[in-house]
Every structure is written in C-alpha cells, then in structure tokens.
Amino acid sequence: MSRGINTRCLHLEETEGKTDNYGALSFPIYQTATYAHPGVGQSTGYDYSRLQNPTREHLEKIVCSLEGGVDAFALSTGMAAITLLFELFKPGDHIITESDLYGGSIRLFDNVSVKNGLIFTHLNCSSDDVEVAVRENTRAIYLETPTNPMMNVSDISKIASIARKHDLILIVDNTFLTPYFQNPLQLGADVVIHSGTKFLGGHNDTLAGFIVTSNETIAEKLRFLIKTTGSGLAPFDSWLLIRGIKTLGIRMERAASNAIRIAEFLKTRKEVTKVFYPGLPEHPGYEIMKKQSKGFGAMLTFNVDSREHALKILSEVKMIKFAESLGGTETLITYPTTQTHADVPEEVRLRNGITPCTLRVSVGIEDPEDLIAELKDVFEKIGD
Ligand SMILES: *Cc1c(COP(=O)(O)O)cnc(C)c1O
C-alpha cells in the first residue's frame, strides 16, 4: 500500500518487470472456459474458468490493492457479491444492518436471507443503538456509509470497535465512495462490498460486484464459495472493469467537485426543501466524513415541495437522464420511490425518509456549467 492510489489503479506491482503477454499494456481477455494440462497432476495454475480466469484474477488483485485487503473476489453483479458473502452465515445467525440501504440489499435480506433462517435487526447505525442490538447469536454488522439514498453517515472506526469487542464481522458497502475516497478495511472493517457496476466500472456499460476482505479465514471460505456457486465475473466484463478503474481517481475528483456545485445550486431553489449531501457543512455526517474519508463523493439526494414537482423534474430533464443506477460518467437522476426502492415496503421507505418528493442524483463528469444550466432550465419550467 506504499504507492498512491492513482498509481495502483493503473499498475499491479507484482507483475511489473515482466513482459508476459507480449508486453501488451492492456491486459488480455482470456476468453476461455478451460485450460490444457501439461500432464496428470500438473496445472498451468488455471483449470476451469468458474474457479479462476487470468483476466478476472488480474482485476481481483487490482481491487485488492486499492482496498488494502488480503484477497478480493470479482462477481457478476453487486447483488451476486452480497449473496455470496451471506453464504458465510447459517440458520439462526443474527445480523445487524443499517435500515437505509440500497433497495436490492433490503430485498435480499428480507426475502431470501430470512427464508434461509437468518435473523435481522435494522437500525440507524449513525445512532448509538448498535451495541444495544448485539445478541448472543449476532454474527455481523452490515453498513453503507453514506447510505443509499438518504446519505446517512456512520462512524466506521467506532462501529469496528463494537464489532471487535463482540467478535462480529463488520461489512461495509463502499459503493458510493470507492477506495479512492474511503478505505473501510483501514478503519477496522473486515469485509468491503462493491457494486462494481457503479464508480469502479464507471461508464454505465457493464455490471460487476466485489468482495474484499482483510481476514484470511473469510478469504479462504469465499474462495471455496465462489468456485462452488459460480457467479464469478466473466473475462470480458473483467476487462471492462480493469479499464474503468484506470481513470477512477480523475473521475471521482471531477464528479465530486461537480456534486458540491449542484448541492449549492439546489439550496438556492425555493422548490427544494432539503439537500442531503455530506459535503455540506450542515450535514450531520460532515465531521465524521472529514475524519474517515478523503472526499464527499458524487451522490446527493434532495426533497422538493411536492410530488408533482418531483415528477415534473423527472419529465423535464434532457441531458441529465432519468434512470436507475449511479457512478457512471453521465449524470443520472433517480426516483427511489418507484425505482431503486420500489420493493421496500412503503412504511419502511417513509421511516427511512424516502418520500414521493425525494430525488437522488448521481453526478457525472460533464462540465459543471452545463449541468447547472440544465437544472436551472428544469426548475424554471416547473415554476410555470
Ligand atoms: C447498485 C448497488 C448495489 C447492487 O449492485 P448491482 O451491481 O446493481 O447488483 C449494492 N449496493 C449499493 C450501494 C448499490 O448502489
């Protein structure tokens, strides 16, 4: 971890000085299902691509070095990553999760994981309730910080010390900030999750997921699980992720600087009743973010004064796309109520603060003047 993160996005130290692959700078796509063996009991190191593929392995090593783990796993989607990780648990295990999470994670936990016998307590992990919720059968704490979509911030080091005290695994979904801005493993987490579809891939062109861990025992179990369940990332998609990660730093910097400008602009509009961006000093998580992250990210959420205004904004945007997903080069606006969080029961949504007036923006890397100009235009139209 001695080199800077931008260098680590481009160069894998352990392969340097070698001119394998004819010296190609772009890592090859090993589009193969299987591998010929030199003889009985011998292997090139690869036997069958469900177990491992050189392109996927190269990507896993890069992501591992970015998060500072002992091993990383590349999966077909973020949800495949979380699903694989939850194979670590057995019926009767209790897990504490943040209540405001990506809608797909809530759907997985409350439908699939519960059916498999896991027991959940969902709570606001930025409060002091985490330790109180620990039971004899508690095995893990699962966080997002900032959360999707309400941007709640929790103190990773503080929760890590609770996890250590009670021998729990601390899992942090680091999709929103990426290792460029936040390194949960360095703050005491045991496992980091990513939707690689978002900022790591970064171009709205492919799906991927990652698990990174600092714990050798967990890594060993996950190696067994990925080869057994078979949701590893395909070679071509692995290559797209390797390519996307090369520009992670400059994309994150640009998108985050656009995000603060949009947050400031939204605050000036009378139709906007609240802006949730942790880079605003009035955000309750601002001081924690300054301590545990190198930047505030490119995601923001805001409330307008009526459902009608929310819907009108969605129908008036042009360059900014009304679409699900986040973390790509293009700016997207999302309506959590009918999109990302549609499957979360309404009372849970409302309790978490997601109302029909709530909109989420994933800020891209366009020129900030053009983003503000489009938003100005949209707000003028809804004022009519
Ligand atoms: C999108 C997302 C996921 C799920 O990832 P997919 O790649 O869509 O399966 C998980 N967590 C967060 C925070 C996300 O935004």
Side-chain angles (χ1 to χ4, degrees):
M1 280 278 280
S2 52
R3 288 178 166 184
I5 186 143
N6 289 298
T7 307
R8 281 180 282 135
C9 283
L10 295 163
H11 301 284
L12 190 58
E13 208 164 353
E14 63 184 84
T15 63
E16 274 170 21
K18 297 184 188 150
T19 45
D20 297 348
N21 311 320
Y22 309 100
L25 284 199
S26 167
F27 197 87
I29 303 168
Y30 284 92
Q31 192 65 50
T32 187
T34 191
Y35 306 81
H37 295 304
V40 175
Q42 297 176 334
S43 168
T44 60
Y46 304 93
D47 302 309
Y48 187 56
S49 280
R50 171 156 35 76
L51 280 59
Q52 192 51 295
N53 170 284
T55 316
R56 190 179 98 205
E57 185 171 54
H58 187 74
L59 168 65
E60 289 178 346
K61 285 181 174 166
I62 289 171
V63 172
C64 190
S65 98
L66 298 183
E67 286 288 10
V70 297
D71 208 354
F73 303 83
L75 287 304
S76 57
T77 66
M79 290 320 301
I82 303 170
T83 303
L84 187 83
L85 180 68
F86 272 65
E87 290 295 335
L88 292 176
F89 304 116
K90 58 179 191 323
D93 285 352
H94 172 244
I95 291 149
I96 298 168
T97 84
E98 166 62 47
S99 52
D100 183 45
L101 291 176
Y102 171 67
S105 305
I106 298 177
R107 182 171 56 213
L108 175 74
F109 299 157
D110 289 355
N111 297 281
V112 181
S113 308
V114 163
K115 176 208 63 166
N116 292 339
L118 303 193
I119 302 153
F120 288 88
T121 299
H122 305 300
L123 51 83
N124 180 344
C125 290
S126 56
S127 71
D128 288 327
D129 301 343
V130 178
E131 189 156 21
V132 183
V134 176
R135 305 177 191 170
E136 205 191 322
N137 55 343
T138 307
R139 297 288 171 258
I141 304 172
Y142 185 99
L143 295 182
E144 283 174 15
T145 177
T147 61
N148 182 354
M150 296 316 295
M151 310 302 294
N152 302 329
V153 171
S154 35
D155 187 328
I156 298 174
S157 307
K158 194 170 130 195
I159 297 177
S161 64
I162 298 170
R164 252 191 317 276
K165 183 170 151 198
H166 297 276
D167 202 16
L168 314 176
I169 301 170
L170 176 59
I171 304 159
V172 178
D173 182 333
N174 201 29
T175 299
F176 270 26
L177 290 181
T178 81
Y180 186 75
F181 281 142
Q182 181 169 272
N183 289 113
L185 300 180
Q186 269 64 62
L187 297 166
D190 305 285
V191 177
V192 163
I193 285 283
H194 279 283
S195 170
T197 313
K198 315 294 170 55
F199 292 101
L200 293 176
H203 293 73
N204 289 323
D205 58 9
T206 194
L207 303 180
F210 295 98
I211 309 172
V212 193
T213 180
S214 55
N215 178 310
E216 299 274 4
T217 313
I218 293 175
E220 210 172 295
K221 289 181 182 167
L222 290 172
R223 251 326 132 202
F224 174 82
L225 286 168
I226 194 172
K227 91 173 174 192
T228 303
T229 60
S231 46
L233 192 61
F236 180 63
D237 293 350
S238 297
W239 184 84
L240 281 170
L241 264 289
I242 292 168
R243 181 180 159 105
I245 288 171
K246 290 187 185 200
T247 55
L248 179 68
I250 54 172
R251 285 186 290 104
M252 292 309 288
E253 291 288 354
R254 171 51 168 259
S257 87
N258 282 351
I260 186 74
R261 290 187 57 171
I262 291 180
E264 296 287 2
F265 166 78
L266 290 170
K267 275 172 56 181
T268 66
R269 295 301 315 194
K270 63 178 190 316
E271 303 87 347
V272 175
T273 56
K274 188 145 191 180
V275 181
F276 304 86
Y277 180 64
L280 293 172
E282 65 267 31
H283 188 282
Y286 180 74
E287 291 300 329
I288 297 172
M289 286 283 288
K290 279 216 308 204
K291 184 173 62 112
Q292 73 184 9
S293 315
K294 296 180 208 75
F296 300 104
M299 296 301 300
L300 62 89
T301 294
F302 65 101
N303 285 343
V304 288
D305 50 6
S306 69
R307 176 175 175 274
E308 288 63 40
H309 277 160
L311 299 183
K312 195 90 192 292
I313 289 169
L314 295 172
S315 65
E316 291 295 345
V317 287
K318 291 195 185 71
M319 179 181 80
I320 297 172
K321 300 294 182 240
F322 168 33
E324 267 177 88
S325 200
L326 61 103
T329 36
E330 296 85 7
T331 299
L332 306 181
I333 188 161
T334 303
Y335 194 46
T337 297
T338 64
Q339 292 183 305
T340 50
H341 292 69
D343 283 352
V344 176
E346 189 182 10
E347 79 267 14
V348 176
R349 257 197 332 253
L350 293 173
R351 203 183 320 128
N352 289 342
I354 304 169
T355 77
C357 304
T358 305
L359 295 164
R360 190 192 74 187
V361 182
S362 168
V363 181
I365 62 168
E366 296 92 343
D367 287 301
E369 298 77 17
D370 294 326
L371 291 170
I372 303 284
E374 164 130 338
L375 287 170
K376 269 192 181 143
D377 222 40
V378 167
F379 275 100
E380 259 149 48
K381 285 194 178 125
I382 72 168
D384 296 343

